[in-house]
Amino acid sequence: MTDVFTTTIVVATIASGIRLATPFLLAALGEAIGQRSGVLNLGVDGVMLLGAFAAYFVVLDTENVWLGVVAGITIGICMGVLYAVITVFLHAEQGVSGIGIYLFGLGMSDLLFQKLVGTPLPIDQFSEWSVPYLSDVPVIGVMLFQHSPMVYIAFLLVPVVAFILNRTTFGLNVRAVGESPESADSLGVSVRRVRFCTIIAGNALAGLAGAALAIELGIFQQNLTNAMGFIAIALVYFGAWRAPGVMAGALVFGMVGAIVLQAKTLGLIPRSASDIAAMAPAIITILALVVVANRFRQPAALTKPYFRGD
Amino acid sequence: MTHSDSQQVDSALPASSIETSLEKAPMLEMCGITKRFPGVLANDNVSFDVRAGEVHTLLGENGAGKSTLMKILYGLYQPDEGELRLHGKPLRLRSPLDAISHRIGMIHQHFMLVPTLTVAENVALGLPSQRGPLTDLKRVSRRVNELSDLYGLQVDPAAFVWQLAVGERQRVEIIKALYRDVQLLVLDEPTAVLTPQEVDDFFTILHEMKRDGRGLIFISHKLQEVMDLSDRVTVLRHGRVEATTTPAQTTRNDLAALMVGRQLDSATRGNRASLTSETPEVFSVNGLRVAGDRGVDALKSIDLQVHAGEILGIAGVSGNGQRELAEAVTGLRPILAGDVLVDGSAITGMTPKKIREAGLSFVPEERMRDGAIGDFSVADNMVLHNHTESQFSSAGFLDFAAIKTHCSKLVQDFNVKTPDLDTPTKNLSGGNIQKLIMARELASNPRVLIAAQPTRGVDIGAAEYIHQRLLEQRDSGTAIMVISEDLDEVMALADRIAVICEGEIMGVLDAGNATREQIGLMMAGVSDAANSQRA
Amino acid sequence: MFKKSLVSFFAAALCSAASMSASAEALKVAIVAPSASNDLAFTQSIVDGVNALKEEFEIEMAITDGTFIVDDAAAAIRDYAKQGFDVVLAHGSQYGGSLKEIAPDFPDTAFAWGTSADTFGLPNVSAYEAMSNEGGYVMGVMAGKMTKSGVIGVVGPIEVGDAKLYVDGFVEGAKAANGDATVNVNYIGSFGDVALAAEAGRSHIANGADVMTGTAQMVVGAIGAARSKDVAWFGTQANQTKLGKKVVVASQVYKWEVILRDIFNDAKNGVLGGKLHKVDLANGGLTIEFNDKYSLDAGARKAGEEAMAAIMDGSLKLSH
């Protein structure tokens, strides 16, 4: 038992939690941007799957992980245009449209995989990138600064998204449109244009999340994301639609997952409780959600299509 | 998104002439405007103009075409025929952005403010920033403070809008317009949410704006205000201009007649049987405490009594606990403490059904949410509460013949204008829906009637009818509590007036000798006692 | 997935139409399986098994794969039976409940399902299972001999059925070969969570594991972790060499054709079920396929081959 709590194990567990959190964080940041403008996208998981497949396919072909990342983002943007047209221009009901996007992504990514690839072959993975100097710091270095580039990108996006939402005119428009689209419209802010942009950005991040996942794992298979996108949506509520909150949610989810895995590996959780323990991240996230959620209100116009003159 | 006026926004106010003459050429003209919607002619060849430095009032009932005309002026609708001219030049407005760029502003009846943003953010919204893509809230705040000082509009630029009271929110709307340096401002029923004193302050600000040479379009149906404030009045009815006149050339009654299309006899309280110690107290509320939606107490231990054959009016500015009071006594909201009594027996905490059975009827404020189901037929809505009773059903089967007979009588008695009993209720006008609800609630000749905002959004004709029915019901011995934000209504109907402010009853006055000023002070939170000391 | 079963349905309909015109002797075989038919794991093994018998039998084959939703699978099983397929293979232990209800409605159809040992006492249901603990034991022995750190990691899905059998055999073999070795077993609680399986693999590696194995379709994630950290990997259910040419030592491969041959022959002779079939090392239904590119320590391989021989001749009895 003494070696259970060694620094190495603690460090490895925290690093593991950060890695687990990364795809959730990318997807949830994208979803948060969309929801702040009043658009719920339940299709995140489908877009992640398409992004994951696109990235996998491109890396398989070119052996260049960055081209894979570009492919994932590109697919995300395409799906964003589709979803924006459906929900913003055609005013379709967002819940059902999102589920449609999800089912499309789930089926289409598998179909393309079967037709274009067939047998799953491994692809190049990201190599870890040590941050100069910082990665040499004892304990912290290994924990925080020896990760794949996607981890840094995801966590750097947190302040970036927060800054855009809180300090730019575009962010002000986004917050206004999500809260009171008629007020924004009355001041000449184009509700359509703002929502179009946030949907594209959100889906691009979902595509990136999928690409990050596929390239991190070095493989694709049917339903690779295993409903990660839906967890990401829950994390947006957990994070009260704010980038740092979303990050906290993703980290809680990832850390609990990593701690449970570590405890199982070390035999601290009896085999008989193994399946129950596997639910811990979801249960703890839901509990936290219940505690946190009542303290914040969702954007007032969330899921509501905007019609001028009503 | 270029914005040619960004310079102007930050420049000082135009040093325009202080005195403007009414004879000078109009600033804005709307010529021969026609706008059709499927099945409706909303504006029929309407011509309307505004001069610099005047208040031109648009008067008309709901559906007369006022808001359509203003939406055209703000670029939200395109006219089918006719044209707009600004300073004599033709003007095409495709969106609010076009209107804003021509310095046309609008203060909507429902404020166009984002509650989760600060005052400064609300002001800055939609305008280009001096710092490019970054917001420049410091600069905006400075300018907001300048404007506050200049016009006497006290507002903290850093406050969140949701923290502000209704009157403050309106000041934010005005600052938004001033910040954009509007030359023409549309004010859509701006006084509906203000206390009489706040209205006075508001009018002072409007006079300031007139002096700057701005043109103001004032929309209202409070005739006294219209007479007080306007330079000219245009009356719309059924989408057409009935008349354009000046307050000097007309009277309140003439304006009302133009609006409705006939002479009106305004409902008066009439003589009620005087209260004696024997007059039974039918409905009372003792120490009632109720939580609001945000968890704070919406009612802080209030006491009220209503006698048989009496109307108690509850006056107050919107959002001071009126909605919670109505919901609590009708069983729709949990009661934290205190008692509600009908004929001396407690109905506290009972289900709405039990409360109805105890003899209490309810005309709710949100008639399409709590009062009737839009997709249900007129007949279905009329028996919504009692279709399970033996007169309308047996063994779980509805007796359609009995329901039809009952409803036909009610529709006739209450003058509900509907093609037939099977028409979906949502197809009726607001006034007729309200009459339908009144018919249902009064059919049982209740001991107590709670009527919340009984004529809000109802045309004058129907309002007059509803007032008449309330008075008749009072005379037949029902104890009635009328909750209204329309002070004129309360003063016209009530025998006694209780004024509510921040969940407390500031005092109860006898309607016979209460003055608007006295009630206005109480609505603003000055208690009756302090009030009388000052007097 | 709904779309997919629909596509498969039409494919099946086409196949059956085609079979009308083909020889009346053709044996019509349908497979319903939970994951993709080229998953390099459980589902692919049964498809490969049927394909391997196409030389011996004239077979019309139809597949509905990816039916991880049991209701979808049940619908497909019933459809195939209705269409007159001779043999319907319900390839997933989670399909038992549905099969028990469906089989009595189609007394002329031969059903087989696995992995399980339960025929429900029905005359037209046979069950098949793989003694995957045998191959697990053999690879466990090799892993025990190979490890330098003395730590071995195992990634499992949920502790049931074939996965449990394999893992138990592997642990038993590793312990037999190296009593000092620590074998960390991590059932992640999911058959589908590739990312979690990858982190489970990394967690083993962080704890010092230098040899790993795992079972079920989500282990591709753990293999990815093994690949990136250059840790030896033992595969099962299919030859996983393709997933890690540098790290995969050997894989236990299921040769279902060994028992499918019996099932098909029985079906032709009118025996539709009631039997329990097993693949094991002795009957050739399980084999260990080595990765030629991996330079396996000769001693470890020898120990493995000795264990295999002992199991096959019955001199070594495993605890299951």
Side-chain angles (χ1 to χ4, degrees):
Chain A
M1 285 299 281
T2 49
D3 57 20
V4 166
F5 302 105
T6 59
T7 323
T8 339
I9 297 302
V10 172
V11 166
T13 307
I14 292 174
S16 168
I18 290 171
R19 275 194 303 272
L20 278 175
T22 299
F24 292 107
L25 178 57
L26 284 169
L29 282 176
E31 180 71 15
I33 297 172
Q35 290 201 11
R36 277 309 273 276
S37 76
V39 182
L40 173 71
N41 180 7
L42 290 180
V44 194
D45 203 55
V47 178
M48 283 177 76
L49 280 166
L50 287 169
F53 173 73
Y56 171 80
F57 187 64
V58 167
V59 177
L60 190 64
D61 215 43
T62 65
E63 299 186 359
N64 182 331
V65 291
W66 293 106
L67 283 179
V69 168
V70 170
I73 294 174
T74 309
I75 275 291
I77 291 172
C78 295
M79 294 306 291
V81 171
L82 178 66
Y83 191 63
V85 168
I86 293 172
T87 56
V88 178
F89 292 95
L90 304 178
H91 302 292
E93 208 276 319
Q94 291 173 10
V96 172
S97 313
I99 293 293
I101 295 275
Y102 163 64
L103 290 174
F104 173 78
L106 178 68
M108 187 52 92
S109 61
D110 187 38
L111 183 67
L112 290 173
F113 177 67
Q114 300 299 338
K115 293 290 168 205
L116 301 178
V117 183
T119 300
L121 295 172
I123 54 167
D124 291 355
Q125 289 155 282
F126 288 115
S127 40
E128 280 171 6
W129 188 68
S130 300
V131 182
Y133 307 114
L134 288 174
S135 59
D136 299 332
V137 178
V139 185
I140 304 286
V142 183
M143 205 155 46
L144 304 180
F145 301 110
Q146 292 183 20
H147 283 291
S148 99
M150 273 306 137
V151 173
Y152 306 120
I153 290 175
F155 282 86
L156 282 176
L157 275 171
V158 173
V160 170
V161 169
F163 183 85
I164 290 174
L165 284 176
N166 296 321
R167 294 265 182 270
T168 66
T169 51
F170 176 73
L172 182 59
N173 290 349
V174 170
R175 286 183 286 144
V177 163
E179 205 58 53
S180 176
E182 54 287 340
S183 303
D185 191 28
S186 78
L187 294 174
V189 175
S190 166
V191 176
R192 284 182 173 192
R193 192 183 306 160
V194 168
R195 288 192 170 168
F196 200 85
C197 291
T198 58
I199 291 172
I200 303 271
N203 280 270
L205 283 176
L208 176 63
L213 183 68
I215 301 173
E216 172 72 21
L217 298 173
I219 199 75
F220 185 85
Q221 64 169 225
Q222 184 194 34
N223 194 23
L224 181 79
T225 55
N226 201 37
M228 274 183 177
F230 291 99
I231 306 274
I233 294 169
L235 293 177
V236 173
Y237 285 77
F238 178 103
W241 297 270
R242 284 151 184 83
V246 166
M247 178 180 79
L251 279 174
V252 167
F253 194 82
M255 285 301 164
V256 174
I259 290 166
V260 168
L261 270 184
Q262 190 65 50
K264 281 187 192 172
T265 297
L266 294 170
L268 296 177
I269 295 176
R271 206 72 75 68
S272 54
S274 169
D275 303 336
I276 306 277
M279 289 188 255
I283 292 169
I284 289 177
T285 307
I286 289 169
L287 288 179
L289 190 61
V290 170
V291 174
V292 173
N294 280 334
R295 296 173 46 208
F296 295 93
R297 251 179 359 90
Q298 66 178 34
L302 187 58
T303 77
K304 296 192 180 88
Y306 178 64
F307 299 91
R308 176 176 285 176
D310 280 3
Chain B
M1 197 161 85
T2 57
H3 197 286
S4 55
D5 297 317
S6 58
Q7 292 298 309
Q8 240 155 338
V9 165
D10 287 301
S11 66
L13 287 169
S16 55
S17 59
I18 301 297
E19 287 303 318
T20 47
S21 94
L22 290 184
E23 283 73 39
K24 95 189 208 188
M27 172 197 280
L28 173 98
E29 294 163 273
M30 301 181 84
C31 313
I33 302 289
T34 296
K35 178 71 185 173
R36 299 178 192 89
F37 292 109
V40 186
L41 186 57
N43 285 156
D44 183 4
N45 194 22
V46 172
S47 292
F48 178 78
D49 67 86
V50 189
R51 296 164 189 150
E54 77 161 337
V55 175
H56 191 160
T57 293
L58 256 185
L59 191 63
E61 292 209 79
N62 293 318
K66 296 173 306 212
S67 37
T68 303
L69 192 65
M70 290 303 105
K71 280 177 174 167
I72 289 170
L73 176 57
Y74 202 56
L76 287 164
Y77 291 156
Q78 306 301 311
D80 295 327
E81 285 164 38
E83 70 165 355
L84 276 66
R85 280 201 287 267
L86 189 66
H87 298 299
K89 288 185 214 117
L91 179 68
R92 271 215 65 182
L93 301 172
R94 289 172 202 83
S95 74
L97 203 59
D98 286 348
I100 294 164
S101 71
H102 287 98
R103 295 168 54 212
I104 297 170
M106 181 140 156
I107 295 182
H108 300 256
Q109 185 179 3
H110 304 288
F111 295 149
M112 290 295 179
L113 294 172
V114 186
T116 51
L117 300 185
T118 65
V119 170
E121 283 175 326
N122 268 286
V123 171
L125 187 61
L127 291 177
S129 162
Q130 294 276 314
R131 298 203 300 158
L134 304 184
T135 51
D136 193 2
L137 295 176
K138 273 187 197 152
R139 192 192 183 86
V140 174
S141 301
R142 233 177 11 242
R143 181 77 186 128
V144 167
N145 284 331
E146 280 170 30
L147 290 169
S148 301
D149 293 346
L150 213 54
Y151 287 87
L153 297 155
Q154 235 81 76
V155 169
D156 174 11
F160 285 97
V161 166
W162 61 262
Q163 298 171 317
L164 303 182
V166 179
E168 292 175 294
R169 292 186 193 197
Q170 186 151 52
R171 292 201 283 262
V172 178
E173 283 286 17
I174 295 168
I175 287 180
K176 265 165 68 181
L178 291 171
Y179 191 94
R180 284 162 177 74
D181 193 21
V182 294
Q183 56 178 332
L184 182 68
L185 182 62
V186 182
L187 300 138
D188 189 0
E189 299 204 21
T191 58
V193 292
L194 303 181
T195 65
Q197 280 75 15
E198 282 175 323
V199 171
D200 291 345
D201 293 344
F202 178 68
F203 282 1
T204 313
I205 296 162
L206 295 190
H207 281 296
E208 285 287 317
M209 293 176 73
K210 261 174 72 173
R211 276 224 305 268
D212 294 338
R214 302 175 208 270
L216 303 175
I217 300 175
F218 183 67
I219 297 174
S220 178
H221 50 229
K222 295 190 180 175
L223 295 171
Q224 192 55 53
E225 289 178 358
V226 171
M227 295 295 284
D228 292 347
L229 185 70
S230 314
D231 295 304
R232 284 191 294 161
V233 182
T234 291
V235 183
L236 284 184
R237 194 163 71 88
H238 298 324
R240 275 189 296 268
V241 174
E242 283 294 302
T244 297
T245 177
T246 65
Q249 292 164 341
T250 188
T251 63
R252 279 176 62 167
N253 284 347
D254 289 349
L255 285 179
L258 283 170
M259 240 166 107
V260 186
R262 62 186 163 90
Q263 285 294 332
L264 284 171
D265 329 302
S266 59
T268 46
R269 212 172 322 124
N271 297 324
R272 105 188 128 154
S274 59
L275 283 181
T276 67
S277 51
E278 277 101 76
T279 316
E281 188 180 291
V282 176
F283 177 72
S284 65
V285 161
N286 301 325
L288 188 67
R289 195 160 72 81
V290 172
D293 292 336
R294 293 199 179 195
V296 187
D297 280 1
L299 293 179
K300 305 161 188 165
S301 190
I302 67 166
D303 300 300
L304 291 169
Q305 291 81 35
V306 192
H307 302 85
E310 176 190 49
I311 294 181
L312 175 71
I314 307 286
V317 178
S318 170
N320 276 286
Q322 296 97 317
R323 190 166 56 85
E324 290 82 357
L325 172 61
E327 288 177 354
V329 300
T330 52
L332 297 173
R333 181 176 284 267
I335 290 169
L336 297 181
D339 271 318
V340 184
L341 306 172
V342 171
D343 280 330
S345 49
I347 57 163
T348 323
M350 285 187 181
T351 61
K353 187 177 164 65
K354 291 272 178 214
I355 290 174
R356 278 185 176 281
E357 284 165 8
L360 186 141
S361 281
F362 178 39
V363 177
E365 162 178 357
E366 297 268 352
R367 74 181 69 93
M368 288 316 289
R369 195 191 69 187
D370 303 330
I373 300 170
D375 289 317
F376 277 24
S377 71
V378 169
D380 287 347
N381 271 308
M382 279 185 162
V383 294
L384 209 50
H385 62 306
N386 61 354
H387 60 268
T388 54
E389 288 171 12
S390 56
Q391 60 186 116
F392 300 129
S393 65
S394 58
F397 292 95
L398 293 174
D399 180 350
F400 287 108
I403 291 174
K404 200 172 167 209
T405 317
H406 172 75
C407 294
S408 304
K409 186 173 178 299
L410 284 183
V411 162
Q412 213 150 35
D413 286 356
F414 281 82
N415 198 16
V416 181
K417 291 192 187 95
T418 173
D420 54 50
L421 293 176
D422 297 324
T423 303
T425 303
K426 65 180 176 195
N427 293 358
L428 304 188
S429 73
N432 280 303
I433 294 173
Q434 191 71 339
K435 283 194 267 182
L436 183 163
I437 294 169
M438 289 281 291
R440 179 182 72 205
E441 297 301 322
L442 296 181
S444 59
N445 193 21
R447 295 288 293 148
V448 182
L449 175 71
I450 310 293
Q453 321 295 346
T455 60
R456 177 191 279 175
V458 166
D459 56 277
I460 293 192
E464 180 197 3
Y465 183 81
I466 289 166
H467 286 170
Q468 209 53 55
R469 293 304 297 228
L470 286 169
L471 291 169
E472 282 171 33
Q473 194 64 36
R474 175 198 72 181
D475 293 339
S476 75
T478 300
I480 300 177
M481 183 161 87
V482 171
I483 302 173
S484 177
E485 283 149 25
D486 182 349
L487 188 50
D488 294 332
E489 175 169 77
V490 175
M491 294 189 73
L493 287 179
D495 301 305
R496 288 187 302 135
I497 300 172
V499 184
I500 192 167
C501 179
E502 290 178 1
E504 289 180 83
I505 299 296
M506 305 312 296
V508 183
L509 305 172
D510 199 64
N513 42 35
T515 65
R516 292 181 69 85
E517 290 65 34
Q518 202 179 1
I519 296 175
L521 281 171
M522 288 164 73
M523 280 163 77
V526 181
S527 76
D528 193 20
N531 206 350
S532 27
Q533 267 177 8
R534 246 174 47 150
Chain C
M1 68 211 116
F2 307 112
K3 206 178 198 174
K4 209 165 152 194
S5 25
L6 202 66
V7 169
S8 314
F9 175 79
F10 283 116
L14 281 174
C15 281
S16 60
S19 69
M20 299 283 192
S21 57
S23 158
E25 295 296 305
L27 189 68
K28 291 160 71 183
V29 179
I31 299 171
V32 179
S35 49
S37 53
N38 51 5
D39 63 353
L40 281 185
F42 189 63
T43 298
Q44 184 168 355
S45 68
I46 194 81
V47 176
D48 288 351
V50 175
N51 278 327
L53 291 173
K54 280 191 171 166
E55 297 285 298
E56 296 170 44
F57 297 86
E58 197 173 338
I59 295 174
E60 301 280 351
M61 181 172 72
I63 305 171
T64 296
D65 61 357
T67 51
F68 56 89
I69 296 175
V70 174
D71 284 345
D72 289 355
I77 292 168
R78 191 175 281 279
D79 280 347
Y80 284 129
K82 251 185 213 164
Q83 288 166 37
F85 274 76
D86 300 308
V87 179
V88 178
L89 300 171
H91 192 56
S93 49
Q94 65 269 46
Y95 301 155
S98 312
L99 195 62
K100 197 175 168 182
E101 287 175 14
I102 296 168
D105 297 345
F106 301 94
D108 297 331
T109 306
F111 295 93
W113 78 292
T115 55
S116 166
D118 190 356
T119 64
F120 312 122
L122 293 170
N124 63 335
V125 173
S126 31
Y128 55 84
E129 62 178 337
M131 304 313 290
S132 54
N133 57 328
E134 296 185 359
Y137 185 92
V138 172
M139 296 197 288
V141 167
M142 291 191 275
K145 292 288 181 196
M146 280 168 68
T147 180
K148 294 194 176 62
S149 64
V151 182
I152 298 168
V154 181
V155 179
I158 292 170
E159 197 176 14
V160 288
D162 187 57
K164 176 174 164 49
L165 202 58
Y166 170 75
V167 170
D168 289 351
F170 184 91
V171 174
E172 193 179 349
K175 288 284 189 190
N178 183 349
D180 297 334
T182 307
V183 187
N184 294 326
V185 179
N186 197 334
Y187 283 103
I188 66 166
S190 163
F191 284 90
D193 199 331
V194 183
L196 201 61
E199 278 309 321
R202 279 172 172 265
S203 135
H204 283 311
I205 296 166
N207 279 287
D210 61 350
V211 182
M212 295 198 295
T213 189
T215 176
Q217 52 269 30
M218 81 297 161
V219 289
V220 291
I223 301 174
R227 210 164 54 227
S228 65
K229 297 285 181 184
D230 226 5
V231 169
W233 178 267
F234 284 97
T236 184
Q237 294 186 332
N239 189 327
Q240 292 175 337
T241 301
K242 281 182 193 161
L243 289 169
K245 290 197 172 87
K246 288 186 186 145
V247 295
V248 174
V249 183
S251 308
Q252 169 174 241
V253 181
Y254 295 9
K255 301 284 185 187
W256 294 111
E257 54 267 34
V258 173
I259 54 114
L260 288 175
R261 185 180 289 121
D262 296 342
I263 293 172
F264 291 176
N265 275 325
D266 282 352
K268 288 197 142 201
N269 298 326
V271 180
L272 301 180
K275 289 187 187 173
L276 171 62
H277 304 271
K278 283 182 181 179
V279 290
D280 58 23
L281 290 172
N283 70 12
L286 293 178
T287 59
I288 307 292
E289 293 182 359
F290 287 90
N291 174 9
D292 299 337
K293 302 267 164 49
Y294 191 90
S295 55
L296 172 60
D297 173 68
R301 178 157 182 163
K302 190 159 168 284
E305 281 167 347
E306 282 169 8
M308 184 150 50
I311 293 169
M312 286 167 77
D313 67 21
S315 59
L316 176 62
K317 295 282 182 216
L318 303 185
S319 52
H320 270 274

